[in-house]
Amino acid sequence: MLDIVIIGGGPIGLACGLTAQKAGLSFVIIEKGTLVNSLYNYPSTMTFFSTSEKLEIGDFPFSTTHVKPNRADALEYYRRVALANNLPLNLFEEVLTVNKADHENPAYTIHTSKGSYQAKHIIIATGFYDIAVNLDIPGENLPKVKHYYKDPHFYTLQKVVVVGASNSSVDVALETYRKGADVTMVVRDSQISNRVKYWVRPDILNRIEEGSIKAYFNSNLKAIREREVDIETPTGIVTIPNDFVMAMTGYKPNFDFLRNIGVNLSADGRYIPQYNPQTMETNLPGVYLAGVVCGGMDTHLWFIENSRIHAKMIIDHICAPLT
């Protein structure tokens, strides 16, 4: 019988583990992929918006020579923190079902791809990066359509369509362009998002203005075929040659998992889970949320920097009856 099962081995799951460890609670962190799996799957060239001290967990310093840490810096930091503190990590193990607690059995039973656990409490820190938001258009299932981006070299001399105008979209457009790709952006809004990193936004605006990168604003991708795509623009359908579509349309939490275990979601299309903002406890007693999963479809609201505090809020609430 464990005090806590933490589902998700990302930075916030690790932060919860460190705080539980400090409180003397028994726990295990279960992660369906590798350690900090989402960060591992970020683009190899990715640079964080936050400075390193805002990504720190458990009061362990994050030292780097870069003003803004990159993916490699983060992987090194979180791995060192996890290993140095001997956090109990079960990697490449997926949580399949959770049997709810009741009056006769106050513990939860967690079934995974490798075994079963019993715990008095559960912390869900599963993030949002594993499930892409689909375009729902013809041809989206073609192999040339990518919802994840790793490295720009692959797209040298290719005709690339980038869907979106957020940080990930802009990074893909600029990086593939600089490796020799012919880049076209399809943006449903009238401009590049104001949330794009402040040191990157002028770059993309200048590349569009000079014509190095073509951009269709107030437009949507309507169909994808092997060698071309259709773009719905304010002046009508435009068909252009195409080799790859980078659908940077965002990602979403695993809502099915939350529903299946009994967490209530809002009915407004945002699917925000029900939880107490003072304790992070959901409508299920003893089941807590931590990190970006709290925001439902509003995935831009929570990130490492502002959700690190969830760990202390949750562990304080778990420990309160014990004091």
Side-chain angles (χ1 to χ4, degrees), residues 62-220:
F62 185 169
S63 299
T64 173
T65 58
H66 303 108
V67 176
K68 306 282 187 179
N70 57 34
R71 169 183 172 273
D73 295 328
L75 292 178
E76 183 71 14
Y77 170 73
Y78 292 116
R79 183 177 66 251
R80 284 179 176 271
V81 169
L83 297 182
N85 289 277
N86 295 311
L87 292 180
L89 286 157
N90 290 3
L91 304 177
F92 298 101
E93 182 171 357
E94 183 176 4
V95 174
L96 303 176
T97 61
V98 173
N99 292 342
K100 293 187 227 178
D102 54 40
H103 293 298
E104 294 182 3
N105 180 16
Y108 288 89
T109 301
I110 299 94
H111 299 284
T112 76
S113 57
K114 294 183 178 180
S116 297
Y117 304 82
Q118 280 202 317
K120 301 171 188 175
H121 309 89
I122 297 173
I123 300 174
I124 302 172
T126 48
F128 74 109
Y129 196 61
D130 290 330
I131 303 175
V133 176
N134 289 328
L135 293 165
D136 295 325
I137 61 173
E140 183 173 14
N141 293 326
L142 288 172
K144 72 173 191 174
V145 180
K146 313 291 183 184
H147 286 280
Y148 295 88
Y149 163 74
K150 199 67 175 176
D151 186 88
H153 172 84
F154 185 81
Y155 302 98
T156 299
L157 299 178
Q158 302 302 293
K159 292 178 172 59
V160 176
V161 164
V162 179
V163 181
S166 63
N167 276 297
S168 57
S169 306
V170 168
D171 286 345
V172 170
L174 288 171
E175 291 177 12
T176 55
Y177 155 69
R178 292 201 162 97
K179 297 302 182 185
D182 178 357
V183 179
T184 300
M185 299 186 73
V186 179
V187 182
R188 66 181 178 182
D189 296 321
S190 60
Q191 62 176 356
I192 297 296
S193 172
N194 287 321
R195 292 202 298 266
V196 169
K197 290 171 283 195
Y198 65 85
W199 66 92
V200 174
R201 195 169 188 273
D203 190 0
I204 190 64
L205 294 179
N206 288 334
R207 302 294 74 72
I208 292 171
E209 183 178 358
E210 73 186 13
S212 299
I213 294 175
K214 175 71 175 176
Y216 290 94
F217 292 101
N218 299 306
S219 300
N220 292 285

Side-chain angles (χ1 to χ4, degrees), residues 128 195 251 270 292 295-303 306:
F128 74 109
R195 292 202 298 266
Y251 310 93
R270 296 164 68 197
V292 73
M297 287 299 295
D298 294 336
T299 54
H300 63 281
L301 296 180
W302 294 104
F303 32 92
N306 69 351

